[in-house]
DNA sequence: ATCTCGCATAGATAATTATCTATATATAGA
DNA sequence: TCTATATATAGATAATTATCTATGCGAGAT
C-alpha cells in the first residue's frame, strides 16, 4: 500500500461510488465525467494494491479490501469534517487565541474593551502583555504579539495603525500649589518647577518634551518615577508637578488639580497597531471588529476616535 | 479548507515536523531537503487556509489550528495504518474470501483439500459452488468464481490450468453380471449392454463417448441419470453398466465390480482452472499454495499429479 | 440480431506536485 | 560585527494528477 499520492479527494470519489453503487451516478453527483471516476478508481486501487470492487449485473460489489477501505475512508473523511468544523469556529473568530501588548498607560483604558469582549467571546483565549513603551516596541520588533497598543505609534512600514481614543495629556499640580489657583498658566510659570515624569522613552514624556522643545524651553528639575500610580500619589502629596494622561486621573481626584496650562492639553491618541507582514489570527480580527462596533458603548464617547473600521478594511484587503 | 489536494504524504510530513520540532530535522528523517519540507508546510497551510505554526527561537510553536490539525493528522494516519495492517493480513492470504466452483464429480475429492485448508486458515471465508460441467462452465464465462475445478478443462485462452489429480474412469457392472467374472472384456462385449450415464455435457460422459468413437463403435441403450450416487446404486441393483470416476467408488463397493475392460481405465485428470484476465484474491492464491505443498498428504499419493506449483509461478508472473 | 447502458481504455492536455539546487534572510552565539 | 544555523524563497524540472473527448466492449433488453 502506497499512501504517498492518496488524496482525500480520491477517497471522496470512492465513497461516492460506493454510496451510489454506480460509477456513472457518482460521476454525475461529483460533476465529473464517467471515465474520470473510472480512472480514479483504478488509481485508488493501485495505491491500495488490491482490487476494491467488481461489477455484478447492475450494481457493484466490494471486495474485502474494498469494504475495509470504505470504512477507513468514512472514518477519515469524517475526522476531517470535524476538523473543518473546528476551523470554521476558529475562522469566525469565535474561538482561538491572540495576544495584545499594551503600553503601561493604556491599562487604564483597555480593560473596558477587553472585559466586554471576553464576555461576548468566552472561547477566545487572550493574553495581555504590559510594559513601557520600550518594552512593547521590542515585542513588536520580535513579532511576539498580534495587536499592540501605543500612544505614539512606531512609524514603521511594517505596521498598520488605527487611532481609537483621544488621549489628552494634562498637567497636574497639588491642590495647594500656588499655580493651582490661577486662571491661566504660561509656560514660563513652570520653568523652575520640579516635574515628576516617567522614564525617557515613555510616550507621555516624549510628547511633553517635544512640546517643551516647541516652546523653546527646557526644564530644570526632573524626577523620574516608574509608575503612573506613584506619580499621581506623589503629585498629590506635593512633590511636584506632572504631565499625565487624563485617563489616568480618577473621576474624582482629591488633592490634585489640572492646571489651566496654555497649549494644554497636549492632544495625542491611542492606536491599535498590527503588523502588516503577519497574518492575524481570526480571533484577533474578531476583536478588532468587536472594537469597531463597540467602542462608543465601552468608552466615554467624547474621547472616542474610531478609525478601527478602516483598519479592518485594510486588513481584509491584505489577506488577499 | 480545501481537501482536494491534501495527501497523506503531506500529513506525514507535517506530523514529522511537529514531532521533531524542526523543519530541517524532519527533512533529514524523511530523506528530503529542507526547502522541500518548508514548501510542503506552506502548501499544507494553504490547503487548510490557516497558519499552522510559527518559529520561536529554536523550536516551533503551533497555532490553534496547527494543534488541531496535528491531532487530526495523527488520527487519520493511525487509521490508515490499521487499514494497512488489515491489508497485510489479506495480502498474506491469511484472511479474506474466495469462491471455488466444482463440477459434481470433484466433490468426492475436493473436501479432502478444503477441510485441512479451512483448519489452517480459519479467517478465510470460502464459498463452494457445485454444478454439472455446463453450469460450472457458465459460471466461468461469467467470472463468478475465483477458482474452478474441471475434469475436462475448457480450452479458452483466458484460462490457466493445472492438473492436480489423476481421475481414472472405470467401467462398473453389477456383481452378478456375466461380464463380471471375465478376465478381460472387449469393447464388442458391451455394445448391447444398457449404460447408465450422466447427462450429455458431463465430462465423464464426454470422455467415454469420445473413447467409444475412437473404437469406432456406438452404444445402443443409454439411460440418463443426474447423479453419480444414483448411478452407483442403480448399477449395483442390476439396472446396467456405467463408467464412473474411480474416486466416486467407495473403497469397499459391495454389489459392484470394476470390469477389466481393455483400454480402461480411461485416463483423465482434475484441473484447477483460473482466469488469467482476473487478478485472484490473495486468499485464493493462498489456497493454491496450500494445495501445492499439501496435495500429497491430503490425497492418495498414487493419484496425485502436482502441477499446481507451476500454475502458481505463472500467476505470480501475471501479477506484474 | 441490434440497441442501449454502464463501464473501461486510449490519448490528450493543463494544472499541480514533488523535488532539487542555489540563494536570501534572520536569529543566536562568538 | 562576523559566523553558523535554521528557514524561506526562487527557479527549474520531471513526474503525477485531474480531467476531458472519443471509442471499445460486454450484458440485458427489445
Amino acid at each position: 500500500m502506497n499512501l504517498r499520492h492518496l488524496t482525500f479527494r480520491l477517497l471522496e470519489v470512492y465513497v461516492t461510488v460506493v454510496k451510489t453503487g454506480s460509477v456513472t451516478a457518482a460521476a454525475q453527483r461529483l460533476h465529473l465525467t464517467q471515465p474520470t471516476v473510472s480512472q480514479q478508481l483504478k488509481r485508488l486501487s493501485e495505491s491500495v494494491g488490491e482490487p476494491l470492487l467488481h461489477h455484478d449485473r447492475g450494481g457493484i460489489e466490494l471486495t474485502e479490501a474494498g469494504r475495509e477501505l470504505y470504512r477507513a475512508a468514512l472514518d477519515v473523511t469524517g475526522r476531517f469534517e470535524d476538523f473543518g468544523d473546528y476551523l470554521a469556529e476558529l475562522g469566525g473568530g469565535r474561538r482561538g487565541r491572540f495576544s495584545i501588548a499594551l503600553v503601561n498607560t493604556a491599562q487604564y483604558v483597555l480593560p473596558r474593551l477587553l472585559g466586554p469582549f471576553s464576555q461576548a467571546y468566552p472561547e477566545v483565549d487572550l493574553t495581555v502583555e504590559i510594559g513601557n513603551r520600550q518594552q512593547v516596541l521590542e515585542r513588536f520588533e520580535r513579532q511576539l504579539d498580534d495587536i499592540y497598543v501605543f500612544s505614539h505609534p512606531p512609524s514603521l512600514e511594517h505596521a498598520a495603525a488605527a487611532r481609537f481614543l483621544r488621549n489628552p495629556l494634562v498637567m497636574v499640580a497639588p491642590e495647594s500649589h500656588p499655580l493651582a489657583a490661577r486662571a491661566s498658566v504660561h509656560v514660563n510659570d513652570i520653568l523652575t518647577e520640579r516635574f515628576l515624569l516617567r522614564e525617557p522613552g515613555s510616550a507621555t514624556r516624549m510628547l511633553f518634551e517635544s512640546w517643551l522643545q516647541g516652546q523653546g524651553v527646557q526644564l530644570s528639575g526632573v524626577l523620574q518615577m516608574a509608575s503612573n500610580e506613584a506619580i499621581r500619589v506623589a503629585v498629590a502629596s506635593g512633590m511636584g508637578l506632572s504631565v499625565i494622561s487624563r485617563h489616568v486621573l480618577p473621576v474624582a481626584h482629591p488633592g490634585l488639580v489640572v492646571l489651566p496650562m496654555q497649549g494644554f492639553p497636549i492632544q495625542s491618541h491611542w492606536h491599535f497597531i498590527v503588523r502588516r507582514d503577519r497574518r492575524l489570527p481570526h480571533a484577533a480580527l474578531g476583536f478588532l471588529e468587536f472594537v469597531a462596533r463597540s467602542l462608543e458603548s465601552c468608552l466615554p464617547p467624547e474621547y472616542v476616535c474610531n478609525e478601527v473600521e478602516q483598519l479592518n478594511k485594510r486588513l481584509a484587503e491584505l489577506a488577499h
Side-chain angles (χ1 to χ4, degrees), chain A residues 172 175 229 232 236 246-258:
Chain A
V172 289
E175 220 168 20
E229 279 303 305
R232 212 177 61 200
R246 180 170 290 158
H247 296 290
V248 172
L249 284 181
V251 188
H253 37 279
L256 279 184
V257 234
V258 174

Side-chain angles (χ1 to χ4, degrees), chain A residues 16-186:
Chain A
T16 309
V17 168
V18 175
K19 279 185 178 164
T20 60
S22 136
V23 175
T24 307
Q28 282 169 348
R29 186 183 296 190
L30 296 164
H31 304 295
L32 295 172
T33 60
Q34 169 269 316
T36 300
V37 173
S38 214
Q39 203 231 67
Q40 308 264 49
L41 281 182
K42 192 176 173 190
R43 203 158 59 76
L44 180 60
S45 171
E46 274 160 15
S47 266
V48 169
E50 294 278 335
L52 300 173
L53 43 81
H54 43 87
H55 298 275
D56 191 44
R57 58 189 147 57
I60 58 178
E61 195 178 335
L62 298 185
T63 64
E64 281 287 294
R67 247 189 303 280
E68 194 62 21
L69 175 63
Y70 182 58
R71 280 187 214 110
L74 283 182
D75 287 352
V76 155
T77 53
R79 181 64 183 84
F80 262 74
E81 260 170 45
D82 289 350
F83 176 61
D85 291 346
Y86 185 90
L87 278 189
E89 281 203 332
L90 273 185
R94 287 203 309 283
R95 180 183 219 117
R97 85 171 61 206
F98 71 101
S99 68
I100 183 168
L102 312 180
V103 291
N104 262 300
T105 348
Q107 72 184 295
Y108 293 91
V109 189
L110 238 83
R112 300 174 68 171
L113 289 170
L114 296 175
F117 173 76
S118 285
Q119 291 229 309
Y121 295 82
E123 299 278 19
V124 173
D125 282 345
L126 178 59
T127 306
V128 181
E129 303 284 345
I130 297 179
N132 62 34
R133 182 185 160 78
Q134 196 50 51
Q135 292 165 328
V136 175
L137 212 47
E138 198 173 314
R139 294 189 68 87
F140 176 86
E141 296 296 349
R142 299 182 56 199
Q143 311 194 24
L144 294 182
D145 304 285
D146 300 305
I147 302 179
Y148 306 84
V149 176
F150 285 102
S151 173
H152 196 59
S155 64
L156 291 173
E157 75 278 28
H158 296 306
R163 299 193 286 185
F164 70 97
L165 198 71
R166 292 198 300 112
N167 181 31
L169 303 182
V170 295
M171 188 172 293
V172 289
E175 220 168 20
S176 54
H177 194 279
L179 290 175
R182 298 270 290 273
S184 166
V185 180
H186 189 263

